[in-house]
Amino acid sequence: MHYRVEHPAGGYKKLFETVEELATPMSVHITGRLPTWLSGSLLRCGPGLFEVGSEQFYHLFDGQALLHKFEIKNGHVTYHRRFVKTDAYVRAMTEKRIVITEFGTFAYPDPCKNIFSRFFSYFKGIEVTDNALVNIYPVGEDFYACTETNYITKVDPETLETIKKVDLCNYISINGVTAHPHIENDGTVYNIGNCFGKNFAIAYNVIKIPPLQADKEDPVTKASVVVQFPCSDRFTPSYVHSFGMSPNYLLFVEQPVKINLFKFLSAWSIWGANYMDCFESHETMGVWMHVAEKHTGEYLNVKYRTSAFNIFHHINTYEDNGFLIADLCCWKGFEFIYNYLYLANLRENWEEVKKIAEKAPQPEVRRYVLPLDIQKNDVGKNLVSLPYTTATATLRSDDTIWLEPEVLFSGPRQAFEFPQINYKKYGGKDYSYAYGLGLNNFIPDRLTKLNVKTKETWVWQEPNTYPSEPIFVQSPDAAEEDDGVLLSIAICPAVGHKPSFMLILDAKDMSEIARAEVDINIPVTFHGMFKKA
């Protein structure tokens, strides 16, 4: 089922429009019937301010962080949103200009200061952004909004107030961590980030934050490094957005999108440079995969290799009979997909959006199978013996293991992205269902359920409607993996009805159960969570 849906009206442009925060939660109009058992808050992060005064933010990941909440309580729903009061936001509001350089937007020095003080403020070192627009997740009893730098921001999930900025560098050897931690059912948090190791060599550290202990101390202060993954190149770490975890293993997929550290360290003294300018593609490395034992921290010295792709999101990773199975959302090729996510591109008219997407790396959901036990006399053989997959792993004479994937989902310029699963029960385990946001030439216009075993898909879609990542919430008496609902925030900016809503779908067949509509626009959100009441 490949839908060729057109969007000539360009309603998706409303996803990238500045909105105001709300002083208090607003009431919501419900159509359909809310499941009686559904109680709690859908929390989502994304950009909500796309310009400051006359200065524009240029990239999708630059707008200032807005925290959204749909709260479901006793059959009633309210919608609330507040800007995260990061340093980047507060200083922009105070000085009425962009003060902190964002992912794709350079912050010019204050024109009102004289040339001398401008010169000195310039060399004070790097001011790294704390703009927490990507995700929100729990640590102990606290909740943090985050981006991908060393700063995370503690927020109150009830009032959406900003509590404090936390610098992870104070507790752990790390230069930044992803917005995609793995969280175990006991509350243990695992995450990964780049770090400068010995002799300025680059490595990737996996960190672990324990659950809240009896002493009630902040778990962040007890963070530790559990594994150090080596880097394919001493001076250019790969961009890392997420990682895989099974009960016994950690999986890191090292992609050919690299951060040039020399550029990065000098960018802050070059007029006009930003984070995006520091990325480059390594055209010959392909993709390296790294595996470590989760409990002992032991690195498996196996050279897994495959052809080039960009990866942002892991769907799930599980073990089966001596193999590690990794389901990934891939973009084929080594060119960085973020090059296509400038706001000017996303705000183009539909014909232009399609032209731009033609040139970009193409999306594909893939399954890779990594053999964990390798015998030296198997050169030239496919080591994968699982009956249910066509993925292969071939031992070559240079000791590398060449991986070829099984394709789980593919459609021209149709991505299955922002994947979610029944994580509490099936994260790290053999599973059947993934839920994703369908990107049509980079425009989010449908929700898709994928059976990873049969490759069957179910789609929810509505004309001129633009949803967000679907969050799975399991029903209390669930017997099967897909017993539950999906929650997504959608906008339908056509004239004559409420422009935004929280959508509630039956996760079994993707049929609509209810929607909670509000009378204001809701811009794009990236990731989020459901916090049970």
Side-chain angles (χ1 to χ4, degrees):
M1 287 163 59
H2 286 311
Y3 288 75
R4 305 305 312 168
V5 176
E6 301 286 323
H7 298 286
Y12 51 81
K13 295 176 190 182
K14 291 295 258 190
L15 289 168
F16 317 112
E17 263 181 27
T18 292
V19 296
E20 293 189 344
E21 63 179 9
L22 295 171
T24 53
M26 61 189 285
S27 61
V28 164
H29 174 71
I30 296 169
T31 59
R33 298 195 57 174
L34 293 172
T36 49
W37 56 264
L38 189 62
S39 182
S41 304
L42 175 66
L43 298 164
R44 308 269 316 152
C45 285
L49 179 76
F50 293 91
E51 65 286 309
V52 182
S54 61
E55 297 182 12
Q56 298 285 326
F57 288 111
Y58 292 113
H59 201 274
L60 179 60
F61 305 133
D62 294 349
Q64 297 301 291
L66 185 61
L67 187 55
H68 307 257
K69 175 172 77 156
F70 275 93
E71 186 170 18
I72 305 161
K73 203 174 180 174
N74 312 328
H76 293 282
V77 181
T78 57
Y79 170 65
H80 195 23
R81 68 181 178 212
R82 302 289 304 268
F83 281 104
V84 185
K85 304 304 187 286
T86 61
D87 287 353
Y89 176 83
V90 171
R91 289 171 66 184
M93 293 297 97
T94 311
E95 298 191 30
K96 300 185 172 41
R97 61 184 191 89
I98 297 171
V99 180
I100 305 269
T101 290
E102 298 292 354
F103 197 72
T105 305
F106 174 74
Y108 288 94
D110 185 353
C112 305
K113 289 196 175 132
N114 68 39
I115 191 75
F116 237 31
S117 58
R118 268 200 335 231
F119 181 81
F120 281 114
S121 67
Y122 218 65
F123 289 98
K124 273 210 303 256
I126 302 175
E127 281 205 282
V128 172
T129 181
D130 61 342
N131 181 25
L133 79 165
V134 186
N135 203 357
I136 175 169
Y137 60 87
V139 178
E141 290 176 338
D142 302 319
F143 289 80
Y144 289 91
C146 66
T147 175
E148 297 182 324
T149 66
N150 51 303
Y151 296 118
I152 56 176
T153 303
K154 192 160 142 184
V155 292
D156 181 331
E158 299 309 313
T159 62
L160 306 188
E161 298 284 338
T162 302
I163 300 169
K164 67 170 183 181
K165 165 171 155 176
V166 173
D167 181 355
L168 291 168
C169 290
N170 292 343
Y171 308 105
I172 197 89
S173 170
I174 206 94
N175 290 83
V177 293
T178 76
H180 292 287
H182 278 284
I183 301 176
E184 297 186 313
N185 289 338
D186 71 353
T188 307
V189 177
Y190 285 86
N191 210 336
I192 189 170
N194 302 118
C195 80
F196 301 134
K198 295 186 184 70
N199 332 329
F200 201 63
I202 297 301
Y204 310 91
N205 279 350
V206 175
I207 64 166
K208 176 181 177 178
I209 303 174
L212 193 68
Q213 311 290 306
D215 62 17
K216 292 289 187 200
E217 267 184 47
D218 182 353
V220 172
T221 63
K222 300 178 178 180
S224 60
V225 173
V226 284
V227 173
Q228 186 160 89
F229 285 116
C231 184
S232 61
D233 177 319
R234 252 189 77 176
F235 295 120
T236 56
S238 289
Y239 174 65
V240 48
H241 189 91
S242 67
F243 65 107
M245 189 170 88
S246 69
N248 298 297
Y249 295 97
L250 295 160
L251 170 68
F252 168 48
V253 178
E254 194 177 14
Q255 62 181 337
V257 175
K258 295 286 193 177
I259 302 158
N260 183 322
L261 282 184
F262 297 113
K263 274 190 196 163
F264 185 80
L265 295 170
S266 61
W268 310 98
S269 57
I270 298 168
W271 196 257
N274 58 51
Y275 296 80
M276 273 298 287
D277 299 322
C278 304
F279 288 104
E280 55 192 34
S281 289
H282 190 308
E283 300 186 4
T284 54
M285 80 169 264
V287 164
W288 294 23
M289 297 198 196
H290 303 268
V291 178
E293 295 214 358
K294 181 174 150 196
H295 302 294
T296 64
E298 186 194 347
Y299 177 63
L300 267 57
N301 203 1
V302 180
K303 301 184 175 85
Y304 301 105
R305 304 285 182 266
T306 188
S307 49
F309 59 81
N310 283 210
I311 175 172
F312 305 100
H313 302 118
H314 284 245
I315 302 175
N316 199 10
T317 310
Y318 68 93
E319 303 157 30
D320 187 357
N321 275 314
F323 296 95
L324 200 57
I325 291 92
D327 293 350
L328 314 174
C329 295
C330 302
W331 297 81
K332 297 182 267 190
F334 50 72
E335 193 200 352
F336 196 22
I337 211 79
Y338 287 2
N339 293 342
Y340 292 88
L341 301 181
Y342 283 95
L343 290 164
N345 289 353
L346 298 170
R347 289 171 174 150
E348 280 284 4
N349 290 330
W350 179 239
E351 289 307 312
E352 206 50 43
V353 162
K354 284 194 298 187
K355 267 195 205 117
I356 293 162
E358 297 253 312
K359 305 186 186 108
Q362 292 304 304
E364 199 164 74
V365 178
R366 294 174 171 180
R367 166 166 290 178
Y368 285 92
V369 177
L370 288 67
L372 297 167
D373 179 34
I374 288 114
Q375 305 301 324
K376 291 286 178 246
N377 53 1
D378 286 338
V379 172
K381 283 193 203 136
N382 167 28
L383 307 178
V384 180
S385 55
L386 298 173
Y388 55 80
T389 180
T390 55
T392 62
T394 310
L395 178 60
R396 303 201 288 198
S397 54
D398 62 357
D399 277 355
T400 57
I401 293 185
W402 185 261
L403 304 172
E404 285 292 345
E406 174 182 1
V407 175
L408 301 182
F409 177 90
S410 187
R413 288 169 292 288
Q414 307 286 311
F416 176 97
E417 259 291 353
F418 296 85
Q420 291 284 329
I421 60 170
N422 178 344
Y423 184 84
K424 255 192 161 27
K425 266 201 176 161
Y426 290 87
K429 299 191 180 80
D430 184 2
Y431 74 119
S432 298
Y433 301 112
Y435 308 94
L437 177 63
L439 304 182
N440 173 0
N441 296 275
F442 295 119
I443 301 301
D445 70 356
R446 64 197 180 283
L447 297 170
T448 304
K449 175 183 182 178
L450 170 66
N451 181 326
V452 296
K453 292 184 156 74
T454 65
K455 303 183 174 61
E456 189 181 357
T457 57
W458 297 257
V459 174
W460 178 90
Q461 188 166 43
E462 209 171 75
N464 306 309
T465 301
Y466 307 98
S468 70
E469 168 190 63
I471 300 284
F472 178 85
V473 185
Q474 184 176 276
S475 59
D477 48 0
E480 291 171 309
E481 181 182 339
D482 55 355
D483 283 346
V485 296
L486 296 177
L487 304 179
S488 175
I489 296 179
I491 65 160
C492 45
V495 183
H497 53 72
K498 295 195 175 10
S500 314
F501 57 95
M502 176 177 66
L503 176 65
I504 305 176
L505 298 181
D506 184 328
K508 274 215 175 315
D509 60 6
M510 301 297 279
S511 62
E512 182 174 328
I513 295 174
R515 61 177 64 181
E517 303 170 318
V518 290
D519 247 332
I520 51 175
N521 185 43
I522 300 179
V524 62
T525 57
F526 300 130
H527 300 287
M529 61 172 288
F530 185 73
K531 177 182 175 286
K532 287 207 167 81

